[in-house]
Amino acid sequence: MLALTMFAGTAARAAQSQTSVRPANMTSGSLLLKTIRGGFVEAPRVATDYTVSVSGLTSRTILTQRFTNPARGWVEGVYVLPLPETAAVDTLKIVSGNRFITGEVREKQHAKFIYEKAKAKGQTASLLEQERPNIFTNSVANIGPGETVVVQIEYQEAIRSTSGTYSLRLPLVVNA
């Protein structure tokens, strides 16, 4: 088993600039908080943990990332993350403040309906969508002021084999 942990190490990183960003422009797993002007700012990333288990020609990866909401009010976030093109996501867990969300696989339109309904009621909710083969976005509704958000995604993928050499890719950045 392989475990990798990365921590945001500077105070400057924790005090992210309020420069507006777009989900399509992100280069690594990031939580973007919606602003009242309709744009996004990047939430401070506290830590990133990868745990990878390999069994035969299949790997299971657990990615856990922690962020904080520096805003004084309740916000909606969009979590952008790179995944291998052949990944099959089978688990999504989110902790926002003291609320716990466990993902359920639903038909796309029904999932959007459930998310919007929960968001309108002020409930914490999440919606994971595939934007393109290696990019996923995960909307998170009603993140409280100063709250820590923990996102954990588990996925499986086949180990690649070329001429007797086996390889496994951990996507730490988003490919354009």
Side-chain angles (χ1 to χ4, degrees):
M1 178 161 25
L2 168 72
L4 172 68
T5 303
M6 295 172 285
F7 295 94
T10 65
R13 176 81 174 140
Q16 299 268 331
S17 74
Q18 294 300 305
T19 304
S20 185
V21 295
R22 293 184 17 212
N25 295 351
M26 301 315 300
T27 58
S28 65
S30 303
L31 178 63
L32 307 181
L33 305 175
K34 288 189 178 179
T35 66
I36 56 174
R37 292 181 218 104
F40 295 93
V41 294
E42 192 173 356
R45 183 181 308 116
V46 178
T48 298
D49 302 309
Y50 276 89
T51 302
V52 181
S53 302
V54 177
S55 177
L57 294 176
T58 304
S59 71
R60 168 170 284 285
T61 300
I62 302 171
L63 167 61
T64 306
Q65 289 195 293
R66 292 165 190 82
F67 303 89
T68 58
N69 173 14
R72 289 185 221 138
W74 292 80
V75 296
E76 180 177 12
V78 175
Y79 176 62
V80 181
L81 68 150
L83 289 176
E85 290 184 19
T86 60
V89 176
D90 59 14
T91 304
L92 168 66
K93 298 175 187 173
I94 296 176
V95 177
S96 182
N98 62 359
R99 296 169 310 280
F100 185 81
I101 301 169
T102 301
E104 296 178 9
V105 176
R106 301 274 191 220
E107 185 273 325
K108 189 173 187 173
Q109 289 306 106
H110 185 62
K112 283 185 177 185
F113 173 78
I114 292 169
Y115 175 77
E116 291 298 331
K117 186 175 176 182
K119 183 172 98 172
K121 288 181 176 180
Q123 298 172 330
T124 299
S126 173
L127 177 65
L128 179 69
E129 298 179 277
Q130 184 174 7
E131 297 298 317
R132 55 185 203 251
N134 65 334
I135 304 297
F136 286 77
T137 59
N138 184 41
S139 299
V140 183
N142 301 311
I143 301 169
E147 283 186 344
T148 296
V149 177
V150 179
V151 180
Q152 184 176 76
I153 294 187
E154 295 183 38
Y155 63 89
Q156 297 182 52
E157 70 173 314
I159 302 293
R160 295 180 192 190
S161 173
T162 306
S163 301
T165 302
Y166 298 91
S167 64
L168 172 68
R169 178 180 160 262
L170 290 178
L172 302 177
V173 297
V174 175
N175 291 333

